[in-house]
Amino acid sequence: MDISNQLKAKRKELNLTQQQVADKVFVTRQTISKWELGKSQPDLVSLKLLDNALNLSELEEKEKKTVKRSFYNESKTIVERSHFYTSIWSAILTHPIFIYSKSTV
């Protein structure tokens, strides 16, 4: 059983609404819905909060590793983009056209 089905089953087992779970995890109801539908996965912080709220300790290690790997890949992409844009701006700002120099008359 994948994480989305486990989340939904556990929530229903505890007779909680998506809004009640969202309030405990500090996300929107729509986010809980996306997790349950498998459209997205919780990040590590949200996964820990879900664990506390729903007692998800029995989540399979494979599922936890999948979420961690997904989070790692997203973080890596963000860092790579950040480095890319920093390099671009650095190149632009140090280009001779953009360097202000006083001309003597």
Side-chain angles (χ1 to χ4, degrees):
M1 183 184 292
D2 65 351
I3 193 167
S4 58
N5 292 329
Q6 289 179 355
L7 288 174
K8 187 172 186 176
K10 190 66 172 182
R11 178 181 62 80
K12 289 189 172 199
E13 178 185 316
L14 297 172
N15 293 317
L16 295 172
T17 64
Q18 288 180 340
Q19 185 62 55
Q20 289 170 319
V21 174
D23 292 342
K24 292 179 181 197
V25 183
F26 307 105
V27 296
T28 64
R29 180 201 56 77
Q30 290 83 353
T31 299
I32 300 295
S33 176
K34 287 179 184 178
W35 292 344
E36 290 183 356
L37 293 171
K39 291 184 177 180
S40 65
Q41 292 183 337
D43 59 31
L44 293 177
V45 173
S46 298
L47 189 61
K48 181 63 178 164
L49 291 170
L50 282 167
D51 185 23
N52 292 340
L54 302 176
N55 193 19
L56 293 176
S57 299
E58 63 269 5
L59 273 180
E60 296 176 20
E61 278 303 310
K62 180 181 175 185
E63 295 296 334
K64 288 183 182 179
K65 286 179 183 176
T66 301
V67 171
K68 286 180 183 178
R69 190 177 314 113
S70 173
F71 180 71
Y72 171 77
N73 289 338
E74 288 173 19
S75 298
K76 185 177 175 185
T77 301
I78 290 169
V79 169
E80 287 170 352
R81 285 182 184 163
S82 174
H83 288 292
F84 171 75
Y85 289 119
T86 301
S87 299
I88 295 293
W89 277 110
S90 181
I92 290 172
L93 295 175
T94 58
H95 192 277
I97 294 173
F98 293 101
I99 297 177
Y100 176 79
S101 62
K102 275 188 166 180
S103 60
T104 56
V105 182

